[in-house]
Amino acid sequence: NLSAASSCSPAAKLATSTSLIKPHSLAPKRMGSLDTNPMAFSALPNDKAAFEPLNPEDVRAYLHKAVDFISDYYTNVESMPVLPNVKPGYLQDELSASPPTYSAPFDVTMKELRTSVVPGMTHWASPNFFAFFPSTNSAAAIAGDLIASAMNTVGFTWQASPAATEMEVLALDWLAQLLRLPTTFMNRTSTGRGTGGGVILGTTSEAMLVTLVAARDAALRRSGSVGVADLPRLTVYAADQTHSTFFKACRLAGFDPANIRSIPTGSETDYGLDPTKLLEIMQADTDAGLVPTYVCATVGTTSSNAVDPVGAVADVAALFNVWVHVDAAYAGSACICPEFRHHLDGVERVDSISMSPHKWLLTCLDCTCLYVRDAHRLSDSLETNPEYLKNDATDSGEVTDLKDMQVGVGRRFRGLKLWMVMRTYGTAKLQEHIRSDVAMAKMFEDFVRADDRFEVVVPRNFALVCFRIKATGAMTEEDADEANRVLMENLNKTGKAYLAHTVVGDRFVLRFAVGSSLQEERHVRSAWDLIKKTTSSIMD
Amino acid sequence: NLSAASSCSPAAKLATSTSLIKPHSLAPKRMGSLDTNPMAFSALPNDKAAFEPLNPEDVRAYLHKAVDFISDYYTNVESMPVLPNVKPGYLQDELSASPPTYSAPFDVTMKELRTSVVPGMTHWASPNFFAFFPSTNSAAAIAGDLIASAMNTVGFTWQASPAATEMEVLALDWLAQLLRLPTTFMNRTSTGRGTGGGVILGTTSEAMLVTLVAARDAALRRSGSVGVADLPRLTVYAADQTHSTFFKACRLAGFDPANIRSIPTGSETDYGLDPTKLLEIMQADTDAGLVPTYVCATVGTTSSNAVDPVGAVADVAALFNVWVHVDAAYAGSACICPEFRHHLDGVERVDSISMSPHKWLLTCLDCTCLYVRDAHRLSDSLETNPEYLKNDATDSGEVTDLKDMQVGVGRRFRGLKLWMVMRTYGTAKLQEHIRSDVAMAKMFEDFVRADDRFEVVVPRNFALVCFRIKATGAMTEEDADEANRVLMENLNKTGKAYLAHTVVGDRFVLRFAVGSSLQEERHVRSAWDLIKKTTSSIMD
């Protein structure tokens, strides 16, 4: 009798010998340890009740504490230094070096969060954060992510959670409509099931990697390669302004580092890819017996928001049967507004496009949307079919198994938060959000242009302003570089603003990225005042 | 004057002409649209206030609704069918095919969640879920994930969020101590900074991929390969019971499919990898001029929880200078209990190990911990250094930039929830959690063994029981396969339990995985009763 075995376990014995035992309704019969180990007893001096990690009332209590923390955090984050003043290793010095043996009230955990962790954060949620690109966010997204964490589905196949898969497909199709992507990228169109498809991944890098692998395998098949024998002949292309993660993804996929072409750009194209150069290089590679395989065009580079001409790149690529991927990680979100959509012109001729709502569409990390014109071209390379995942729905061919469009197998309920954002706020407010950020960036740009100590280095396309103290009088460009470097350091040291930099055309440039979700016009104005004041102090 | 320009925008004009405008304190001066587009006005008929996606009071209200939903969900999920009865495309039929133009109260979103989404979920949180491996969870983990979503840091470098990086390093070092990993895998030891390191990734697949790439590049360097010219000569190894995602990860990294060795196993080793066979195959490959590069040993396979002998595999691999990775995705969590730790014996001689607290350590998705003995061997292949991410802390060499240990650049505040789990519950309760699940599995195993219609197919190592109706009397093994298939289908159709299957030694086998976090002994008993009853109905 196993029930008897259970109640004879050491833990159960101890539990029944104490008056602290919980009433039956609160203490479910989880079995005590049947293994012999002294550690088995170590929980008991502290807490004799059965351990219920998801007790609904504990969940409610813990989460209410977390929610109150968050609401307070948003109220107060404005006054916290954006960039913390901590030394490497500070947290290990503050917190215990080893895990505790015994449990503690959740308040202890929350207290350590407040006193040790928060002071060491770089506050991306601060309205005074202007570095990198903002990680925009919203109440609806956080709620969606919270529910996903709680449901904790692992939707590798449709059957493993139909609603999770279908929600992801639906959210991607909705977003495709917001972006006016051609229906060839959609999973379901008004006339039935489409040939395209999408998947939500963690990062743009993964979107690049899986499409690179699909393009690589297709090129190998076309070349009649035995295995990967022809891999050293395959070449890939991108402008030198393309995010470094692209060049890394190429290496991950096994492309020869010598065959990864970084095409120089300059101010004559506002640092966008020149299709004529692309054509020349692809032709030269072909003439040399190499096999052009993949080109990445960026809409809104990380460095300076340059835009590669999508249609012209696609036209060149078509001559060589090359896979075209569009990386619109940041600026893709702007394309939900008709006035920005032209940056995607020609997208109907590319093979794949990715954009990250976790950057600029009010959806917290991780949320990168990848669309592929022919979903089978991805799954041909990424499909797995182990016995333990086989099921009737997959066999029917009527469902999408999202594991076959990503690196891994497991996956959160990723579509929920993105759907919640669109469902709750609606298209018009999302457009208003983009336009508000762009208007604030334009205001900042006008401030810079009106002050003759500064220059705007590249035309502003979206909500990023690239500017610098310009070399005037006896100041060389190198002097100006140094002045800008000092300006950035001094600004960031104040804790009242955080700006990052880049190098454009060999010049050190400050990046002012508008759009942190708590940001208002007054924060942009204050930052500008601080920049002016700090500049005066270092220029005197 | 830009302030004037702002207040002259169409949106601002409309706002000031209505009595519905919010008081100043609630309606911050976000700029109206300066762009000319009819869509700019579409939000206004509905809501004339400025759009504040992170208004702290909205955040509080939305999240409290989400928390109440979750608490209710946990209370009621037991009574919901574990596996839903929905057809492919059901959700697209229920919800709008296009995103709404106007915003809606959050209650509308929550209502659609309840009425359309929940009925289509496979309820991984149900205590009647026995399929795959459980995705265990806890109040502390969900709270940690929630706070991470709200802070929304993007900790690619240490500087981009010192506390996020240090918390991840700390949590990994804590877990390394729980697992009694050698200090060579730790970032910081009692004697100072270690040479090892860890990173939290989304999936085991990514852990395999990045270590495969590091091993690949090291092998190419050793062979003196020009670029990837020698890639077609590299070989990789794993038992045939290894998760299919390993073989996929090898293909992603560019290994020749013909060089990916799946080594047969059988009942004589309980489906664990035979080191003698491994030695023979590696020697034969070497003799053929190939370059053994990487071997994956699994502790607790997905199919049947087989355990490859880590130390013996490492000894063989050492003869060929081969990278050894240990995939302990599921069973690694059990190794926090001394009585299970022997499954990792020899880990001090491997190069890397990964395990997923999102499987069995009460931490919601995504949370896969990868440890590498020499962290530089990862970052040598994965480092990027674009200008816009350069900073003094990185230049000092004193910090870890976690982007250099993963595929992508961006990353959530991943360490927080894992730390919160260990900090709140403590080692003893986490061990209790593992032991309780194992005890319940043992109880189920004993039920099966006591019923002579069934057999336990492989020895139970952890909390997974692989069993089947056995072929008796006139029944052939094929008849038994079919009976087990029908049993599984009939069980799953009841909605009262969800079991998955596998194939072991060519036989169709049911997998009964204990451990869903709301599970109690009574759920295991009920499932067994249901199995007995359903078996009787199909065997009659």
Side-chain angles (χ1 to χ4, degrees), chain A residues 3 28-31 33 37 39-40 42-43 47 51 53 56 60 62 64 68 71 74 86 88-93 96-98 100-101 103-104 108-109 112 117 120-122 124 135-139 145 149-150 152-154 158-163 166 169 174 177 188 205 216 227-228 243-245 248 251-252 254 256 338 364-366 382 386-388 403 406-408 412 419 423-429 431-432 435 437 440 446 498 501 503 519-521 525, chain B residues 2-3 6 28-31 37 39-40 42-43 47 51 53 56 60 62 64 68 71 74 86 89-93 96-98 100-101 103-104 108-109 112 117 120-122 124 135-139 145 149-150 152-154 158-163 166-167 169 174 177 188 205 216 227-228 243-244 248 251-252 254 256 338 364-366 382 386-388 399 403 406-409 412 419 423-429 431-432 435 437 440 498 501 503 519-521 525:
Chain A
S3 180
K29 280 194 224 155
R30 299 205 85 189
M31 297 185 74
S33 170
N37 186 287
M39 289 296 278
S42 51
D47 183 356
F51 179 31
R60 196 190 302 267
Y62 285 31
H64 278 167
D68 289 343
S71 188
Y74 285 149
V86 294
Y90 98 94
L91 191 64
Q92 284 95 331
D93 294 338
S96 166
S98 299
T101 303
S103 60
V108 173
T109 305
E112 292 189 359
V117 179
M121 302 290 297
T122 299
W124 287 67
S135 62
T136 64
N137 207 352
S138 62
D145 220 14
S149 295
N152 213 24
T153 58
V154 193
W158 179 89
Q159 194 214 32
S161 199
E166 301 213 356
V169 168
W174 277 21
Q177 293 171 71
R188 210 182 202 203
S205 315
R216 179 198 73 188
V228 298
H243 198 290
S244 59
T245 205
K248 173 172 162 177
R251 296 194 307 269
L252 291 175
D256 196 314
C364 47
L365 295 170
D366 310 325
L382 301 175
E387 186 62 39
Y388 40 82
K403 72 175 172 55
Q406 63 176 17
V407 168
R412 282 167 68 88
W419 173 76
R423 181 67 192 89
T424 305
Y425 301 125
T427 308
K429 282 213 175 292
Q431 291 173 333
E432 181 189 333
R435 288 171 176 145
D437 287 351
M440 286 195 288
D446 290 344
Y498 179 28
H501 78 283
V503 168
Q519 221 159 62
E520 303 168 16
E521 192 183 309
R525 291 181 179 279
Chain B
L2 276 141
S3 179
S6 167
K29 280 192 224 158
R30 297 205 88 190
M31 299 186 73
N37 185 288
M39 289 295 278
S42 51
D47 183 355
F51 178 33
R60 196 189 301 267
Y62 284 31
H64 278 169
D68 289 343
S71 188
Y74 286 149
V86 294
Y90 97 95
L91 191 65
Q92 284 97 328
D93 294 339
S96 166
S98 299
T101 302
S103 60
V108 173
T109 305
E112 291 188 2
V117 179
M121 302 290 296
T122 299
W124 287 67
S135 61
T136 63
N137 207 353
S138 62
D145 219 15
S149 295
N152 214 24
T153 58
V154 192
W158 180 87
Q159 195 214 32
S161 200
E166 300 213 356
M167 179 55 90
V169 168
W174 277 20
Q177 293 170 71
R188 211 182 201 203
S205 315
R216 179 198 73 188
V228 298
H243 198 290
S244 60
K248 173 171 164 178
R251 296 195 307 269
L252 290 175
D256 196 314
C364 47
L365 295 170
D366 309 326
L382 301 176
E387 185 61 40
Y388 41 82
V399 298
K403 72 176 172 52
Q406 62 175 16
V407 168
V409 183
R412 282 168 68 88
W419 173 75
R423 181 68 191 90
T424 305
Y425 301 125
T427 307
K429 281 213 176 293
Q431 291 174 333
E432 181 188 334
R435 289 171 177 147
D437 287 352
M440 287 195 287
Y498 178 28
H501 77 283
V503 168
Q519 220 159 63
E520 304 167 17
E521 193 183 308
R525 291 181 179 281

Side-chain angles (χ1 to χ4, degrees), chain B residues 191-399:
Chain B
T191 57
R193 198 165 168 207
T195 57
V199 63
I200 303 182
L201 304 173
T203 59
T204 297
S205 315
E206 188 181 349
M208 291 170 167
L209 177 63
V210 295
T211 51
L212 276 165
V213 166
R216 179 198 73 188
D217 291 354
L220 290 175
R221 279 193 298 273
R222 281 199 304 273
S223 80
S225 175
V226 176
V228 298
D230 282 350
L231 181 50
R233 292 173 55 220
L234 308 189
T235 52
V236 295
Y237 306 82
D240 60 0
Q241 297 298 301
T242 305
H243 198 290
S244 60
T245 205
F246 170 70
F247 303 102
K248 173 171 164 178
C250 294
R251 296 195 307 269
L252 290 175
F255 288 93
D256 196 314
N259 292 353
I260 303 171
R261 309 267 176 262
S262 172
I263 302 169
T265 61
S267 56
E268 70 284 0
T269 59
D270 292 335
Y271 300 93
L273 180 59
D274 179 347
T276 311
K277 277 189 197 164
L278 178 66
L279 175 63
E280 286 167 9
I281 295 175
M282 282 190 180
Q283 188 60 57
D285 282 340
T286 306
D287 293 345
L290 300 174
V291 182
T293 300
Y294 185 104
V295 57
C296 179
T298 307
V299 175
T301 60
T302 302
S303 178
S304 69
N305 262 347
V307 176
D308 295 335
V310 171
V313 168
D315 291 340
V316 170
L319 302 174
F320 302 89
N321 204 6
V322 163
W323 183 299
V324 182
H325 179 74
V326 173
D327 166 16
Y330 165 72
S333 294
C335 299
I336 69 168
C337 297
E339 66 272 25
F340 294 110
R341 174 57 175 74
H342 67 92
H343 291 297
L344 294 184
D345 282 356
V347 70
E348 65 281 1
R349 301 198 295 285
V350 311
D351 299 276
S352 53
I353 175 172
S354 57
M355 53 84 68
S356 298
H358 65 217
K359 281 204 157 64
W360 204 10
L361 210 59
L362 304 180
T363 308
C364 47
L365 295 170
D366 309 326
C367 188
T368 293
C369 297
L370 168 65
Y371 295 93
V372 187
R373 208 175 48 193
D374 180 351
H376 283 288
R377 293 168 70 195
L378 258 195
S379 55
D380 282 352
S381 284
L382 301 176
E383 190 175 56
T384 56
N385 196 18
E387 185 61 40
Y388 41 82
L389 297 183
K390 287 182 180 164
N391 64 84
D392 292 343
T394 298
D395 292 345
S396 77
E398 286 179 32
V399 298

